Amino acid sequence: SLAGAAVVGATVCAIVTRAAWGPGSNREWPCAISGADGGYRIADLLAGRYAMSATAARFRPAIWRGEDRRGSFALAAGETRSGVDLVLNSGGVELRGRVGDISGGVVAGARVAVVSSALGSSGATAVARSDDEGGFVAWVAPGEVSAEAEAEGYAPGSASGVAPGLFIEILLTPESVLVGRAVEAASGAPVAGARVGSEERWAGIGAAEAITDADGRFRIERLGPGRYKPAAEAPGLWGVARESVRLGLGETSEEVLVLMHPARIVEGTLLDGEAPCAEGSVGLGDKQRWR
């Protein structure tokens, strides 16, 4: 806590911001409960970049900040990192809610992430799990909040409100699934390790994606009903399906073929002044396409 006392029973989660994940990897945020001395340990993390968030009863959620004020850190394969300490401030309020499905049933075991919508908020995430009756409790900063729930077999759902006092209900729809295969256009050879997402993802819409297996096959889960056009990228290759696919509620598509063509690679270094920028991102725009 801010007073320096250990916070026992806090939930500390490693939030994946960029990870070396692949087919079959765990999409959940690994979490741990702090012990009597406030210490925690989260093991078996994939290599990647992580942000850390902590929440506890009667406290506002907190995020980790390094000495350089950056909010995430890189973790190499096999690396152990210590001293990732978080400070919780008092003044948290209780937010209660329920996760259900559109048929009227409840969704148990859903991960609920709640963030403050207030201007100037820290961006800390309060993480909770729905119980056997779909109910959840999160401790958040007072004011406007946004909550998103994810569960196996469902597309994500969200709701917003004001804490304390408001009961939030988040309704989930059964997931639709997009399956397909990525191959080289010239040879028909499968492309393993390609990152595949809906073409709309490149415009910032949606985050569902998958990595192709050794046979070039992919499976994108937790999609809502709608029309999707898968696009794939791999080192030196890029491709998009010829036609979009319409998915109904809870529907799995037939196999969609993505032909991948040679693509140019642009490399460089992103600097923050004269130092490398660890948390930046770079985008390339097509003037002919987006003008």
Side-chain angles (χ1 to χ4, degrees):
S1 70
L2 191 61
V7 177
V8 182
T11 299
V12 185
C13 296
I15 300 174
V16 181
T17 62
R18 193 182 308 140
W21 58 281
S25 62
N26 189 354
R27 292 180 52 179
E28 297 296 333
W29 294 345
C31 298
I33 304 298
S34 63
D37 62 351
Y40 70 92
R41 178 181 175 84
I42 302 176
D44 301 325
L45 295 176
L46 295 172
R49 179 163 287 275
Y50 291 88
M52 302 296 298
S53 188
T55 184
R58 296 178 296 278
F59 290 93
R60 298 174 182 235
I63 57 174
W64 174 84
R65 291 285 185 188
E67 292 182 358
D68 57 3
R69 304 303 299 163
R70 287 176 175 164
S72 66
F73 59 87
L75 193 67
E79 180 183 0
T80 297
R81 183 173 181 126
S82 60
V84 183
D85 301 329
L86 298 97
V87 178
L88 290 164
N89 296 320
S90 60
V93 296
E94 191 178 63
L95 176 72
R96 290 185 174 270
R98 174 181 174 273
V99 183
D101 63 35
I102 58 173
S103 67
V106 300
V107 179
R111 182 190 73 206
V112 183
V114 186
V115 296
S116 173
S117 303
L119 185 66
S121 62
S122 68
T125 302
V127 181
R129 286 281 177 184
S130 62
D131 59 24
D132 291 342
E133 297 180 350
F136 68 89
V137 177
W139 287 85
V140 300
E144 296 182 359
V145 295
S146 298
E148 181 175 273
E150 285 197 20
E152 190 71 29
Y154 291 91
S158 62
S160 58
V162 178
L166 182 69
F167 185 88
I168 286 185
E169 184 169 32
I170 305 174
L171 295 179
L172 305 184
T173 58
E175 69 177 355
S176 301
V177 180
L178 183 64
V179 298
R181 191 164 180 256
V183 301
E184 293 185 20
S187 64
V191 179
R195 187 178 295 268
V196 187
S198 172
E199 189 181 37
E200 289 78 9
R201 179 174 67 85
W202 312 118
I205 304 173
E209 55 184 25
I211 300 294
T212 57
D213 62 17
D215 295 320
R217 288 187 167 82
F218 62 87
R219 178 182 177 90
I220 305 177
E221 303 174 334
R222 302 188 186 184
L223 296 172
R227 185 172 289 279
Y228 299 92
K229 194 173 186 180
E233 62 176 10
L237 293 170
W238 186 87
V240 61
R242 290 182 177 177
E243 298 181 354
S244 62
V245 177
R246 179 176 292 280
L247 291 175
L249 181 67
E251 181 182 1
T252 298
S253 73
E254 296 182 357
E255 187 171 271
V256 179
L257 186 64
V258 179
L259 299 179
M260 301 191 69
H261 303 270
R264 296 184 182 275
I265 298 176
V266 178
E267 296 181 337
T269 302
L270 189 61
L271 299 177
D272 181 3
E274 296 183 357
C277 180
E279 296 186 10
S281 62
V282 177
L284 295 177
D286 185 334
K287 291 184 178 180
Q288 296 299 320
R289 183 177 181 183
W290 300 110
R291 65 170 48 179

